[in-house]
Amino acid sequence: MIKNHKRILIISKSTADISTEDVIDWLILNGNRPERLNGDSIEDFKSHGITFSINDVGELISNTGMTGSFYSIWLRRWSDYSSLIETKRSFDNSVSADLVAHIISQLTRDLSVIENFILSNIRCVKFLGSDNKKHGNKLNNLLLAKKHNLEIPEFILTTEKTSLNKFFEKYNKKIILKDLSITFNYDLGSNLYTTYTELITEEDISNFPDKFYLSFFQEYIEKEYEIRCFILETKVYSMAIFSQIDDKTKVDCRKYNFQNPNRTVPYSLPLVIEKQLINLFSDLKLLSGSVDLIKGLDKKYYFLEINSDGQFGMVAECCNYNINYEIAQFLCS
């Protein structure tokens, strides 16, 4: 029996997003009928007919049912534009690779404008989630974390080999190179190439030219373990990941060892660290998101980064946290 008629909209990446499905299950179990828009539905024009327009009083209307106002909206995750890979493959050899690259780049920019337009013109009482393109600036977040008295690994942005060498020596020849934005993926035939956080060696630096593209280097912190948190309002759900005992995952735990997975356990951060993280989220006007930290061998907790549309499924499943239920409660209560 339907007990609740509040309009709830969920914006997800795709129909295959498991966390979205789990939250929807809880909403339906509690008598709600959430509406849903998937990012890949907007991109996949061959399978989905979608039209957006403006009515006589200047409201956004569409054939997706996104008319009027909602009680709550959960921006689970926008599309990552992965369907554009298929669009890229659809061009035959008569179209130059350079032109294809320009077309894909233009489509990506246009989709970003459309997403912003949709988000700016749907109304709700409660909004949960954030576009990572908006809150995912690692540099801004590092500085803001430091203002909230969280420890951060020192970093440098430089184009110069001489500056890099000084930074390298200052931190005992242990520094890392990492992406500043999303992970770089390159699809070449049947192979997918991707970037990871990597230690930089003396040999690497000796092979660098004197001048190179502005790059982000960070002090390498020797750790006891990593900590992945999911924050929902003022609740912090934390998980320790013992990635340092496996050479494959020691520097970047995303290099999963499927034969011998890292041990993961529920974890309680010191209350002062939780408070600092909640205050950081408050400054960013974030109600939810994931945070990566490490516990150093020096016993300090180091803030690494925020993923505002980050996955929480692993934290929930491995640590038996009922995050899906808590999100459903936020949306309908």
Side-chain angles (χ1 to χ4, degrees):
M1 184 176 74
I2 303 301
K3 298 183 291 185
N4 194 324
H5 297 285
K6 293 173 181 172
R7 292 191 73 196
I8 299 171
L9 175 65
I10 296 176
I11 301 174
S12 187
K13 175 187 172 186
S14 68
T15 54
D17 189 85
I18 295 173
S19 295
T20 301
E21 294 290 318
D22 289 342
V23 171
I24 287 176
D25 284 347
W26 276 114
L27 287 169
I28 293 174
L29 188 64
N30 283 283
N32 299 280
R33 285 180 173 173
E35 299 166 53
R36 179 172 178 171
L37 175 67
N38 293 317
D40 62 358
S41 301
I42 295 176
E43 293 176 35
D44 186 7
F45 62 91
K46 291 181 180 178
S47 304
H48 304 274
I50 293 180
T51 300
F52 290 97
S53 60
I54 300 296
N55 64 15
D56 292 339
V57 293
E59 294 176 328
L60 178 68
I61 57 174
S62 80
N63 61 348
T64 64
M66 289 175 49
T67 305
S69 60
F70 294 85
Y71 175 70
S72 60
I73 295 175
W74 180 33
L75 175 58
R76 163 71 187 99
R77 201 177 183 188
W78 267 117
S79 171
D80 58 4
Y81 309 140
S82 55
S83 68
L84 293 179
I85 294 174
E86 293 302 319
T87 303
K88 184 179 178 181
R89 288 173 177 156
S90 68
F91 290 96
D92 60 35
N93 293 333
S94 64
V95 184
S96 72
D98 183 60
L99 178 56
V100 171
H102 276 76
I103 291 172
I104 297 299
S105 178
Q106 184 63 41
L107 287 173
T108 302
R109 287 192 294 267
D110 286 353
L111 282 169
S112 180
V113 170
I114 292 167
E115 291 169 359
N116 287 332
F117 171 69
I118 294 171
L119 279 180
S120 300
N121 288 280
I122 49 179
R123 289 169 287 129
C124 65
V125 177
K126 301 175 74 175
F127 187 93
L128 185 66
S130 170
D131 186 349
N132 209 39
K133 303 180 194 78
K134 183 178 179 183
H135 290 108
N137 190 311
K138 292 181 183 177
L139 299 175
N140 283 339
N141 292 344
L142 282 167
L143 290 184
L144 194 57
K146 192 161 188 171
K147 289 178 183 174
H148 283 279
N149 298 316
L150 287 157
E151 296 283 348
I152 63 169
E154 297 301 317
F155 67 85
I156 185 175
L157 283 165
T158 186
T159 62
E160 297 182 319
K161 189 173 182 176
T162 52
S163 297
L164 177 58
N165 263 318
K166 290 178 184 174
F167 187 73
F168 186 67
E169 295 295 335
K170 180 179 179 181
Y171 292 103
N172 302 316
K173 301 182 178 182
K174 286 209 166 181
I175 64 172
I176 56 174
L177 173 66
K178 63 189 297 186
D179 291 319
L180 272 177
S181 57
I182 60 173
T183 300
F184 176 81
N185 292 316
Y186 183 63
D187 186 26
L188 182 62
S190 59
N191 296 313
L192 176 65
Y193 295 86
T194 191
T195 53
Y196 292 101
T197 299
E198 298 286 356
L199 274 170
I200 296 297
T201 65
E202 279 187 292
E203 183 180 3
D204 291 330
I205 296 177
S206 69
N207 289 326
F208 283 5
D210 291 338
K211 300 282 187 181
F212 46 83
Y213 197 83
L214 188 61
S215 301
F216 175 65
F217 301 92
Q218 205 166 23
E219 169 192 10
Y220 176 69
I221 304 293
E222 298 281 0
K223 62 178 181 286
E224 287 187 37
Y225 40 78
E226 298 183 42
I227 302 159
R228 176 75 49 82
C229 304
F230 182 76
I231 297 177
L232 177 61
E233 295 188 285
T234 57
K235 294 182 181 177
V236 182
Y237 304 88
S238 300
M239 174 180 74
I241 307 170
F242 294 87
S243 57
Q244 80 288 350
I245 57 177
D246 187 330
D247 285 340
K248 186 176 181 181
T249 60
K250 189 174 183 178
V251 177
D252 192 330
C253 70
R254 294 173 303 165
K255 293 181 177 179
Y256 301 115
N257 186 338
F258 292 102
Q259 282 69 45
N260 186 24
N262 292 151
R263 180 176 171 237
T264 55
V265 297
Y267 189 79
S268 295
L269 282 168
L271 291 179
V272 64
I273 302 293
E274 288 194 353
K275 182 66 176 174
Q276 288 167 337
L277 291 174
I278 291 167
N279 289 340
L280 172 61
F281 268 47
S282 177
D283 260 10
L284 289 167
K285 303 190 186 322
L286 278 173
L287 285 178
S288 68
S290 295
V291 182
D292 290 340
L293 304 105
I294 52 178
K295 173 83 177 292
L297 293 180
D298 57 7
K299 307 301 180 187
K300 294 179 181 177
Y301 291 88
Y302 290 86
F303 168 91
L304 299 182
E305 61 185 62
I306 291 172
N307 187 343
S308 59
D309 62 359
Q311 299 281 10
F312 57 84
M314 183 179 177
V315 175
E317 184 175 342
C318 294
C319 300
N320 202 27
Y321 296 136
N322 207 350
I323 297 174
N324 298 311
Y325 170 80
E326 296 294 341
I327 290 175
Q329 285 299 302
F330 174 88
L331 294 172
C332 67
S333 64

